[in-house]
Amino acid sequence: MSKTQQLTPMAIVPDILDATQTYDSRRLLALLNRSWSAFGLAATVDDVLMPSMRLVGRLWASGESDVSEEHLATVTTQLWLGQVSAAATAPTRIGTVLLACGPSDVHTLGLECLAALLIERGADCRSLGGSTPTEAVQIAMRRLRPAAVVVVSHSPRSRPGALLSIGLVDAQGIDVYYAGGAFATAEDRDGVPGRYLGEHLGPAADLVVAGLA
């Protein structure tokens, strides 16, 4: 980005892409930190990080880039999110939030971004990560007694397994939230218990936190 160009979240996206394509993970971390300092975590996640990752994914899918670039961007971003979460203060909210992907969902970046945003807002978060079996969600709920559970699923093919987890949480009388491409349309959400978190992670975190006692 040129010195005369106004610093906006979207202005950082081309630099993120360039750092990814040149395998410059150090620069990628610096860019994410710069955005975090300038715009805050929510804007960095929703307006810088996720648009950049979607662009990287599209370039890989079209054959214009190599899968190694996507892997580098994902791993570097996960490292950054870990640093962000580690820098947060101790939880100030009452109640634990349990996060999990559906049993067939292997992509965890959105879940990790949401966890970082919740931690920033003072929530006590526990994440089970990708491909979480419904039985594992049940065991974790029994042991943690969470105030809320978030289930993320990304594709229609993985939606049935995620619905089982969502239904299990709802049957236990625990607040359940869900997100991801598997629930992108109103038809996808028809009859699904709980609350849909929408497409933007900042407002999603605000919604979960507002539901904590």
Side-chain angles (χ1 to χ4, degrees), residues 2 29 68 77-78 81 121 143 204:
S2 68
L29 286 171
S68 61
T77 297
Q78 289 170 327
L81 289 168
R121 285 156 174 73
R143 294 180 179 175

Side-chain angles (χ1 to χ4, degrees), residues 3 15 21-22 28-29 37 48 54-55 60 64 69 119 136 140 150 158 164 177 193:
K3 294 182 179 179
D15 291 338
Q21 292 176 327
T22 57
L28 179 51
L29 286 171
S37 177
V48 177
R54 284 191 286 268
L55 180 57
W60 168 61
E64 297 177 68
E69 296 172 18
I119 290 169
V150 178
S158 59
L164 290 175
Y177 303 86

